[in-house]
Amino acid sequence: MSVWNPDNIRDVAESVGIANLNNDVTENLARDVEYRIAQVLEEALKFMRHSKRTLLTTQDVALALRVLDVEPLYGYESSRPLRFGEASLGPGQPLFYVEDEEVDFEKLINAPLPKVPREISFTAHWLAVEGVQPSIPQNPTSTDSRNLELVSKGSNANPNLAAMSGNANVAVKPLVKHILSKELQLYFEKVCNAFLDESSEEYRTSGYSSLREDPGLHQLVPYFVQFISEKVTHSLKDIFALTQVMHMAEALIQNKSLYVDPYVASLVPPVLTCLIGRQLGGNADLAEQFALRDLAASLLGLIAKKYSHSSHTLKPRLARSCLKNFLDPAKPFGTHYGAIIGLHAIGGPDVVRELILPNLKLYEQLLRDGLSDDNPRKPEAEKVLVALLAVLSTLQDGRVHLANGHGAIVTDELRDRLSEKIGGLIAARIADAGEVQLAHAILGD
């Protein structure tokens, strides 16, 4: 005995032209319909439960039919209520049906076509990288944005951080709000004061160690870079301040936890200034000035080695700047000294062989004039000569040394060839020192 009414089976059979259906067939079909409906409802209830709902919807039934590989019923939506009509087939035999909406085909044909819906898509972009907003179409842009600084203005803003940009009185809001906690602001002030404290070397060492090793300084990187740039610009006559900000830049680069790649372009100019600047430290001792250039050269070599993988044009641009100053006779010997050791720091013996060695013979006359006894720039010229001999000596690195007793002195023929290659002055120094191995390395023998 089936719960499903067999009369419904007969009504459906008569609607398709089958009359006088056998009672046994009707009973079997009723039980099969009951089983199929229970199966559909069971699958629909699964969709309802997985959707965390307690109300069964027509969408659940449609999904259940699709899972059972049955064509779903069209025209039933959960978004609008169904209107049921009632018809009478006879006394006591009501029939309920869903009322269909009447559609005027003429209006439907003449109506404009609906817009094609856009496909669903998702895109992502960087709002800010290390506190700096990239110049991409997705981010808001403004012609005034390049003049904005990252430090927020206001009554609670740190005056030391705001003063770094030089326009602390301008009331503008940055496109990206960059807020530093009070702890980071205090740390920034303490570290900057430590590096510039002439009275306590221990205080400076502690600041250098902290900046080199502390991992949580990502937000402060742009401020330290700005501080270094400002100090170099306004303290060219203070050899102590220049030396300390170079140590600060060295600590930033050596900190393995910081991502300094986006700020290399801003960090290179102050380093180059301390390397090939005309006047460094005012009336400071000559040894201190050249020590600063040595420090800047080692720092420039560290930058070229560490960040050349992210910028393939970094090394060529640095080498071009140093070579331009080396070949400029109007520049002082201090600038030439920085350019020479800077070229060697950037590329090692290869750069010395390709850029310095071919220009030594032309540079010899300028160096001879500087080494004359009546020239006040003689101490600087001697420093340049020592630097040239030092970088030339790296050309023999990796070469097989001559056997004992063979070529112990520089012969006249070798001296003449060397003079033709690099000029008589430097050739004489190499010959007097008995650097036979170096002479052959320079000549490419």
Side-chain angles (χ1 to χ4, degrees):
M1 183 66 183
S2 173
V3 178
W4 192 261
N5 191 352
D7 292 338
N8 292 335
I9 303 298
R10 294 189 181 94
D11 293 338
V12 174
E14 291 175 359
S15 66
V16 295
I18 301 175
N20 299 323
L21 194 64
N22 189 286
N23 290 334
D24 293 337
V25 175
T26 304
E27 287 291 338
N28 290 330
L29 287 176
R31 284 194 293 269
D32 187 68
V33 169
E34 180 184 349
Y35 169 75
R36 300 298 178 184
I37 292 177
Q39 188 180 18
V40 171
L41 288 176
E42 191 173 322
E43 292 293 334
L45 288 173
K46 291 181 183 178
F47 284 100
M48 180 193 73
R49 294 190 188 98
H50 284 295
S51 300
K52 308 297 182 183
R53 288 185 281 104
T54 57
L55 180 65
L56 190 67
T57 64
T58 56
Q59 186 68 20
D60 296 330
V61 177
L63 292 173
L65 292 173
R66 182 168 305 199
V67 168
L68 295 172
D69 200 16
V70 180
E71 186 176 1
L73 301 176
Y74 299 103
Y76 295 91
E77 298 179 5
S78 303
S79 59
R80 61 183 179 88
L82 298 178
R83 293 188 304 170
F84 294 95
E86 181 180 355
S88 178
L89 299 178
Q93 293 186 359
L95 177 65
F96 295 93
Y97 62 94
V98 179
E99 293 184 357
D100 293 329
E101 183 181 356
E102 293 184 1
V103 178
D104 188 350
F105 281 102
E106 184 177 355
K107 290 183 179 180
L108 185 62
I109 294 173
N110 296 328
L113 294 175
K115 293 183 178 179
V116 179
R118 297 180 62 182
E119 294 184 2
I120 298 176
S121 60
F122 297 92
T123 59
H125 69 276
W126 288 102
L127 178 63
V129 179
E130 294 288 328
V132 178
Q133 178 175 295
S135 298
I136 55 178
Q138 289 83 356
N139 283 336
T141 58
S142 172
T143 55
D144 299 328
S145 62
R146 67 186 62 182
N147 298 322
L148 301 179
E149 57 168 338
L150 294 178
V151 184
S152 57
K153 307 289 195 304
S155 57
N156 297 327
N158 190 324
N160 293 330
L161 295 179
M164 287 191 296
S165 65
N167 55 354
N169 296 326
V170 181
V172 291
K173 271 189 176 181
L175 295 179
V176 176
K177 193 175 183 182
H178 195 129
I179 299 177
L180 293 177
S181 64
K182 292 183 179 180
E183 291 78 8
L184 283 177
Q185 295 181 28
L186 182 61
Y187 177 86
F188 178 82
E189 294 175 358
K190 292 292 185 182
V191 170
C192 292
N193 293 335
F195 272 93
L196 299 179
D197 187 2
E198 299 186 38
S199 60
S200 176
E201 183 178 356
E202 183 179 358
Y203 193 25
R204 296 197 302 270
T205 304
S206 299
Y208 177 83
S209 177
S210 176
L211 192 58
R212 182 181 179 181
E213 299 175 359
D214 284 355
L217 306 178
H218 300 280
Q219 284 185 296
L220 288 177
V221 173
Y223 300 109
F224 280 122
V225 173
Q226 182 72 11
F227 178 80
I228 292 169
S229 179
E230 290 289 331
K231 275 298 175 183
V232 171
T233 302
H234 298 101
S235 304
L236 287 176
K237 294 183 179 181
D238 189 348
I239 192 69
F240 175 79
L242 294 176
T243 304
Q244 294 308 311
V245 294
M246 288 298 101
H247 284 303
M248 181 181 289
E250 181 184 19
L252 282 176
I253 294 173
Q254 291 182 348
N255 192 325
K256 298 180 180 179
S257 302
L258 299 182
Y259 183 61
V260 190
D261 294 57
Y263 311 102
V264 172
S266 301
L267 199 57
V268 166
V271 176
L272 280 176
T273 301
C274 292
L275 178 67
I276 54 179
R278 278 181 169 273
Q279 297 292 334
L280 298 176
N283 297 324
D285 185 62
L286 191 64
E288 294 181 346
Q289 296 182 24
F290 281 87
L292 174 61
R293 297 186 192 274
D294 291 336
L295 175 60
S298 64
L299 186 56
L300 195 68
L302 183 62
I303 291 174
K305 180 180 180 181
K306 189 172 183 179
Y307 303 107
S308 58
H309 67 279
S310 58
S311 176
H312 299 294
T313 60
L314 179 62
K315 280 188 177 181
R317 286 188 285 116
L318 293 177
R320 193 180 302 115
S321 298
C322 292
L323 182 62
K324 180 181 178 182
N325 284 272
F326 173 58
L327 298 179
D328 189 352
K331 295 295 179 68
F333 283 113
T335 298
H336 295 164
Y337 175 88
I340 292 168
I341 60 176
L343 284 170
H344 177 259
I346 292 169
D350 293 335
V351 172
V352 175
R353 183 177 293 104
E354 298 295 331
L355 299 181
I356 296 180
L357 196 59
N359 297 295
L360 284 183
K361 191 172 182 180
L362 295 176
Y363 187 75
E364 180 193 16
Q365 185 59 44
L366 181 65
L367 193 57
R368 282 183 180 277
D369 295 341
L371 291 173
S372 59
D373 295 333
D374 57 346
N375 196 323
R377 298 191 302 168
K378 182 178 180 181
E380 297 181 10
E382 290 178 348
K383 286 280 188 180
V384 173
L385 180 58
V386 172
L388 285 173
L389 292 173
V391 298
L392 287 175
S393 65
T394 61
L395 295 177
Q396 57 184 337
D397 293 345
R399 292 174 62 93
V400 179
H401 292 280
L402 297 175
N404 293 333
H406 176 70
I409 60 174
V410 178
T411 62
D412 293 338
E413 180 188 358
L414 186 60
R415 182 194 291 263
D416 294 340
R417 291 174 58 199
L418 202 59
S419 300
E420 185 67 23
K421 179 81 171 180
I422 61 176
L425 177 62
I426 302 177
R429 292 295 181 100
I430 295 175
D432 294 341
E435 296 285 352
V436 181
Q437 182 76 19
L438 177 58
H440 285 288
I442 294 174
L443 295 173
D445 296 341

